[in-house]
Amino acid sequence: MSSTPTKTALVTGPTAGIGHSFAHQLARRGYDLVLVARDEERLAAVAAELTTSYGVQVEVLPADLADRDQLGLVEARLAERDRPVDLLVNNAGFGLKGRFLDNDADTETQMLEVLVTAVLRLTHAALSPMAERGHGGVINVSSVAAFLPRGTYAAAKAWVNSFSEWAANEYRTQGVTVMALCPGFTKTEFHERMDVGRDSAPGFMWLDPDFLVAKALKDFDKGRIYSIPGAQYKTVIALTKLVPNKALQAYQSMGRR
C-alpha cells in the first residue's frame, strides 16, 4: 500500500509573525516547507526549529523580494515540476509609517515591488504547474486596509484582493484554490518595524497571529475566496461599504493631525 505523498508549501516572510505561524501550522499538518526571507541566519533558525518539532523537510531560500534577480530565484523554485509546491503563501510584508509625500518615490516603489510585483510574479510562477497538475493553492496575505482609503499601502492591498478574487474564480475549475487573507492589527513585528505602538488601536482590535492563521487555514480548506479573521474586522469591513470613501478619508485625516 503506497503512502500519501508529502505536500510542500512555500512561505515568504516566515521568520516572525503571521508567516512564522503559517510555517508552524503547516508543518503541524505534515507539509514540507520552503522558507523565503532576507535574513539567512533567522531562516536557518526557523528551519531547525520546524525540523526538530515536526520532523518535516525544510528548505531555506534567502531572497530579497524587492530585488528582481533574487525574486527570480523564488519564481524558478515555484516553477519546478519535479519538486512541486502545493501551496504558496505570499506573506512577505512591507509598510511605511509616513504619508505619501513624506517618503521618497524609490521607497514607495520598493514597497510596491514586495506587495504587488512579488505577489504577481510568484503567483504566476506557481499557478502554471498547479493548473497542469489539477490541484494546488495560493494564500495571499492582504489587509483590512484594502477596504480603506489609506495611501499606497491600502492601494497595494486592494490590488491583492482584486487579483486574488479574479484568480480564485479563473482557476477554481482547474483545481486551484486562491484566497486573500485580510487581517487587521496583529501582534507581530510588522507594526514595531514601522514604530507603530500597541496604543495605536484599542486592545480588542489586536489579533493573535496563531488564531488568525488557524482561521485562515480553515477558510482555505472550505475554498473561500476571502478570510477575514475576527468579528471586529468583519464589522469594520461591513461599515466601509456603507460610508463613502470621502468621509472615511476625512475621518482618518483628522486622526493624523
Side-chain angles (χ1 to χ4, degrees):
M1 184 174 66
S2 61
S3 60
T4 303
T6 302
K7 291 184 177 181
T8 299
L10 187 149
V11 182
T12 67
T15 57
I18 294 172
H20 189 258
S21 186
F22 263 116
H24 271 270
Q25 294 194 41
L26 289 170
R28 195 175 300 129
R29 288 181 169 212
Y31 278 82
D32 286 338
L33 294 161
V34 182
L35 304 181
V36 179
R38 291 179 297 175
D39 191 326
E40 187 169 2
E41 186 175 338
R42 290 185 75 180
L43 275 178
V46 173
E49 178 185 354
L50 294 169
T51 301
T52 301
S53 298
Y54 307 105
V56 298
Q57 299 294 313
V58 183
E59 175 186 349
V60 297
L61 184 51
D64 181 349
L65 300 184
D67 181 299
R68 287 294 178 88
D69 290 336
Q70 295 182 48
L71 177 62
L73 298 175
V74 187
E75 293 177 64
R77 177 63 184 87
L78 286 165
E80 291 185 24
R81 265 61 176 180
D82 59 336
R83 293 195 300 162
V85 171
D86 302 278
L87 174 64
L88 165 64
V89 181
N90 278 314
N91 165 75
F94 197 127
L96 299 172
K97 184 179 181 181
R99 300 175 72 177
F100 183 59
L101 292 181
D102 295 333
N103 305 313
D104 61 58
D106 286 342
T107 302
E108 289 279 351
T109 301
Q110 187 178 25
M111 181 177 71
L112 293 183
E113 288 287 335
V114 175
L115 298 185
V116 174
T117 303
V119 170
L120 183 154
R121 296 186 69 93
L122 296 184
T123 302
H124 188 278
L127 278 176
S128 180
M130 288 178 182
E132 286 177 8
R133 294 194 304 269
H135 64 85
V138 178
I139 298 175
N140 291 323
V141 179
S142 182
S143 172
V144 168
F147 300 91
L148 300 164
R150 291 183 63 89
T152 46
Y153 179 82
K157 293 302 189 180
W159 180 89
V160 172
N161 280 7
S162 179
F163 174 68
S164 300
E165 183 172 341
W166 164 80
N169 291 316
E170 181 78 7
Y171 294 101
R172 187 184 299 276
T173 58
Q174 292 173 261
V176 182
T177 300
V178 181
M179 186 184 81
L181 166 59
C182 300
F185 289 103
T186 308
K187 298 172 185 176
T188 69
E189 293 180 1
F190 180 77
H191 292 94
E192 293 173 13
R193 290 197 301 266
M194 292 193 298
D195 193 28
V196 175
R198 294 282 170 86
D199 58 352
S200 59
F204 73 90
M205 297 298 287
W206 289 90
L207 299 172
D208 175 77
D210 291 336
F211 158 79
L212 186 156
V213 170
K215 179 67 166 60
L217 290 174
K218 286 180 181 178
D219 288 339
F220 180 80
D221 290 341
K222 294 174 182 176
R224 290 181 175 165
I225 296 175
Y226 287 99
S227 177
I228 304 166
Q232 64 273 53
Y233 288 109
K234 289 183 174 66
T235 301
V236 168
I237 291 171
L239 289 173
T240 65
K241 297 176 182 179
L242 301 175
V243 180
N245 272 356
K246 186 175 181 180
L248 286 171
Q249 189 166 352
Y251 176 78
Q252 292 174 92
S253 296
M254 287 173 60
R256 287 193 292 256
R257 289 174 188 162

